[in-house]
Amino acid sequence: MNLRGRTTGRTTRRTLGMLVVVVVGGSAILAGCTPTPGTTATVQELGLVPLPASVEVSDAAPFVLDDGTRVVVDVAAGSAVGQEGAVHVGELLAAELRTPTALDLPVETGPEADSGAVVLRLEPGGESWDPDGLLDDPAAEAYTLEAGEDGVVLASATPAGLYRGTRTLLQLLPPEVEAPGPVGDVAWDVPAVTIADEPRYAYRGAMLDVARRFAPVEDVQRFVDHLADYRLNVLHLHLSDDQGWRLTVDGLPELTEVGGRTQEGWPPGTGGPWFYTPEEYARIVEYAADRYVTVVPEIDGPGHTLAAQSVLGSLRCDGTPGEPYWGPEVNNPMICSSDENMPAVREYLDTVLAAVVAQNPGPYVHLGGDEAPSPAEGWYENYTAAANEIVAGHGRTVMGWHQWAQGTTLPEGSLIQYWGVGERNRGLIGTARETADVQEVRAALAAGADLVMSPADRTYLDMKYDDLTPYGLEWAARIDLERAYSWDPETELTSTLDPERKVDVAGRVAGLEAPLWSDRSYPDSLTHLPTSTDEFVDVDVYVDFMTFPRLPALAEVAWTAQADRDVEDFEARIVRQAPRWDAAGIGWNRVHDVRWDD
Ligand code: TNX
């Protein structure tokens, strides 16, 4: 029986991992509840996504935001960094609420107000928390939220936890809270609830491929908003590929001068420039940091490097630069990382990775490593060894796609991103025919790396949903909402045929990431290649359509305990998110596997 979100009278209660079930007269109710009918919303009707760890709804009066409401930031505890962050979270929340409500909502610091306030309280315990630290502790983002007639109290030991709690608070308010301008005639009610919440995984991300299709700063910020609204905390940017180079590199200005002139399907002369100046990139990093979203920059190699090869002849064995590339192929020739050519490759990596580190305060540097056809023994290993050493030398943590684990020099504590197709890999796990994907994951774990799960047939946001999806690809799967939702990162590498055959990932899954590649951001994407750049839709149109509603589903996979997830319950809650997307002007896909009108 599904107890989730069930109304049991005056109080609806579900508590992570400790549901106390009492069977009365043949039907299960939750202990502590009085089974009398009431008008109180059920947890399901609140429509929170991701579902918090514990939600109690009471039939007490709601808190109503009005002219007298203040935002009070209580920073009696905490480090200087924590206090500064908490004030900042309070200011951000007040600014977001002022837009639709047109209320004053002054922000004050100091001890808690008696009533009529939204209080953000920094609690002791987060003194060693570092906004640029590793994402390895889910408890760092835990928060509690209590709302009642007198006010709202949101508490956490870190500003990141406070910020996550503010996203839940916004979801408790009416959908109009997402509107970009003032909305009249709305009762700005927060229902009386008690929430205690903490994510399942510490690393919860999405990736944007700005190399195949460039996204201007405003569009990247819009994507960050999408992530932040669903309590995700990582923005992985795929900054270089065959078709373009988007990050400026001190000492190698040609990389963006030339590499910023192409994107996939857009040859030189069709527009641009398509790269982030240092100021623009800093704006992205700051915007993300304000929302406690860590930017993970990726410089792909040794494959996916035709853009670099088109300006640096030293990366090719014949010493002459190649042509700029804007075609659709993958598996193109890799950097010439023969023993003889490694000094040149090393110089390139030193220069590029220094620029990456200088522009990214976060702890991770993603080095790519996918789809690199190595023509000779040792080339791939030469490249990974040099890159690993340089990143470690900067005190940063290496990330790579799972092929990166082929190198023998993976530093302990690296993060390896698994992007295999579950349906192709799982049946063979633990047999003599186990796939290279799975063997590479085993090598990564043996080297002391942890995993970020991005199985392509679950998490790839560039896969079509179904027949009706105009954009994207389908090589991994068609991913409808249920397919995105109904899987478990902990058993993704367990055989479908025999649960004894598995990769032991216990304690080694850092989290998950949903990559949005942008190889095909135009309609009829499977039947033809574009003959004109007019065929492309705006980046935000592509992003919104492919992201909603799947990103919220994946955010719940990352946030909510497996035992608390149920696809029917999720569908009942996600339909309540749709009016919020409408209010925010998000061009979401009304996927047919959900009854949106219910
Ligand atoms: C595979 S996933 C790729 C990308 C493509 C993507 C398209 C991965 C690490 N490599 O180069 O953009 O498929 O779905």
Side-chain angles (χ1 to χ4, degrees):
M1 172 175 288
N2 174 20
L3 290 169
R4 236 155 268 127
R6 189 186 159 95
T7 308
T8 52
R10 300 167 69 81
T11 306
T12 299
R13 183 193 200 111
R14 43 171 301 289
T15 306
L16 170 68
M18 20 182 211
L19 279 174
V20 187
V21 179
V22 181
V23 179
V24 180
S27 69
I29 60 163
L30 301 176
C33 305
T34 321
T36 52
T39 53
T40 309
T42 62
V43 172
Q44 197 172 73
E45 281 162 5
L46 292 178
L48 299 174
V49 177
L51 184 65
S54 161
V55 183
E56 247 177 74
V57 187
S58 97
D59 62 357
F63 177 64
V64 186
L65 298 187
D66 62 22
D67 282 336
T69 305
R70 287 151 301 138
V71 174
V72 177
V73 188
D74 178 354
V75 288
S79 64
V81 170
Q83 294 178 350
E84 196 187 315
V87 170
H88 171 78
V89 171
E91 278 164 357
L92 196 60
L93 174 68
E96 289 174 303
L97 291 173
R98 279 180 205 124
T99 304
T101 63
L103 297 171
D104 284 348
L105 295 165
V107 180
E108 300 164 8
T109 52
E112 230 161 271
D114 288 345
S115 67
V118 175
V119 177
L120 305 192
R121 188 200 295 143
L122 192 63
E123 302 207 301
E127 289 74 13
S128 62
W129 175 83
D130 171 5
D132 295 322
L134 292 171
L135 299 170
D136 57 3
D137 178 14
E141 291 164 287
Y143 67 91
T144 58
L145 189 160
E146 275 206 66
E149 192 170 3
D150 291 341
V152 175
V153 179
L154 180 55
S156 174
T158 69
L162 287 176
Y163 181 74
R164 303 299 168 234
T166 63
R167 300 309 90 183
T168 302
L169 176 59
L170 290 180
Q171 290 192 7
L172 291 167
L173 281 155
E176 292 84 355
V177 77
E178 296 296 335
V183 195
D185 286 337
V186 177
W188 301 105
D189 285 3
V190 181
V193 289
T194 302
I195 292 174
D197 200 9
E198 178 177 326
R200 180 184 191 188
Y201 291 118
Y203 186 113
R204 305 178 309 279
M207 189 207 81
L208 193 57
D209 173 7
V210 295
R212 272 56 170 278
R213 185 78 198 276
F214 181 69
V217 174
E218 295 65 37
D219 291 308
V220 179
Q221 292 176 338
R222 181 186 176 83
F223 192 61
V224 171
D225 287 339
H226 296 345
L227 270 61
D229 282 347
Y230 291 93
R231 307 203 291 279
L232 296 173
N233 63 1
V234 171
L235 169 69
H236 168 181
L237 287 175
H238 185 73
L239 291 164
S240 71
D241 211 299
D242 295 321
Q243 296 89 347
W245 188 285
R246 311 300 176 210
L247 187 78
T248 57
V249 175
D250 267 355
L252 289 174
E254 326 75 289
L255 282 172
T256 40
E257 279 163 15
V258 177
R261 291 265 157 214
T262 45
Q263 41 186 3
E264 186 170 324
W266 303 61
T270 48
W274 294 300
F275 68 89
Y276 306 112
T277 65
E279 294 70 33
E280 288 171 334
Y281 195 78
R283 272 169 53 208
I284 293 172
V285 169
E286 191 188 337
Y287 191 87
D290 282 348
R291 287 150 185 81
Y292 297 96
V293 170
T294 298
V295 177
V296 174
E298 179 187 352
I299 299 296
D300 204 348
H304 289 281
T305 46
L306 292 185
Q309 293 180 47
S310 76
V311 295
L312 294 173
S314 63
L315 298 180
R316 290 157 54 94
C317 292
D318 68 5
T320 54
E323 291 297 319
Y325 183 77
W326 60 90
E329 304 299 334
V330 293
N331 290 307
N332 294 312
M334 62 178 267
I335 283 175
C336 174
S337 40
S338 61
D339 292 348
E340 306 75 60
N341 205 44
M342 271 312 289
V345 175
R346 180 147 191 134
E347 196 182 328
Y348 157 82
L349 285 170
D350 269 329
T351 309
V352 167
L353 295 174
V356 169
V357 168
Q359 294 182 69
N360 289 277
Y364 306 104
V365 175
H366 201 304
L367 295 164
D370 57 315
E371 297 172 328
S374 191
E377 189 83 17
W379 283 30
Y380 191 91
E381 288 73 12
N382 284 345
Y383 182 94
T384 54
N388 284 336
E389 192 183 305
I390 294 166
V391 169
H394 284 287
R396 300 294 176 93
T397 295
V398 166
M399 258 188 96
W401 300 107
H402 64 251
Q403 287 82 2
W404 193 259
Q406 289 169 61
T408 48
T409 53
L410 193 64
E412 209 179 324
S414 297
L415 283 185
I416 286 298
Q417 188 166 4
Y418 169 71
W419 62 282
V421 178
E423 296 221 331
R424 288 175 210 155
N425 289 330
R426 294 184 66 187
L428 300 172
I429 288 175
T431 71
R433 291 191 300 131
E434 189 170 86
T435 60
D437 291 344
V438 175
Q439 289 174 15
E440 282 151 7
V441 169
R442 289 192 194 276
L445 292 171
D450 283 341
L451 300 178
V452 170
M453 300 301 287
S454 298
D457 54 337
R458 302 285 184 179
T459 67
Y460 267 37
L461 297 171
D462 65 314
M463 292 300 121
K464 288 179 184 290
Y465 293 80
D466 53 34
D467 277 350
L468 302 172
T469 313
Y471 324 119
L473 290 161
E474 58 173 15
W475 62 264
R478 293 180 174 200
I479 304 179
D480 62 14
L481 194 58
E482 178 161 6
R483 173 161 269 282
Y485 186 83
S486 295
W487 64 288
D488 180 358
E490 299 292 322
T491 56
E492 178 60 26
L493 292 167
T494 297
S495 165
T496 28
L497 308 171
D498 171 4
E500 298 292 306
R501 290 197 270 114
K502 64 179 179 185
V503 180
D504 184 7
V505 299
R508 309 295 292 278
V509 178
L512 72 83
E513 208 184 271
L516 178 51
W517 299 98
S518 52
D519 306 42
R520 298 286 189 283
S521 55
Y522 57 89
D524 299 324
S525 56
L526 286 183
T527 54
H528 74 299
L529 292 172
T531 51
S532 150
T533 56
D534 295 341
E535 289 192 34
F536 289 84
V537 295
D538 288 346
V539 162
D540 61 331
V541 171
Y542 173 70
V543 169
D544 283 8
F545 192 86
M546 302 307 266
T547 299
F548 285 92
R550 291 183 295 196
L551 188 71
L554 291 157
E556 183 154 306
V557 179
W559 183 281
T560 306
Q562 188 71 17
D564 286 343
R565 296 202 297 112
D566 172 89
V567 71
E568 280 173 29
D569 173 57
F570 170 73
E571 287 177 359
R573 285 180 288 108
I574 199 74
V575 298
R576 294 178 163 88
Q577 291 288 308
R580 296 173 186 276
W581 307 332
D582 287 335
I586 293 170
W588 57 285
N589 180 10
R590 209 181 162 81
V591 283
H592 64 77
D593 56 328
V594 175
R595 295 175 60 184
W596 297 99
D597 287 325
D598 272 2

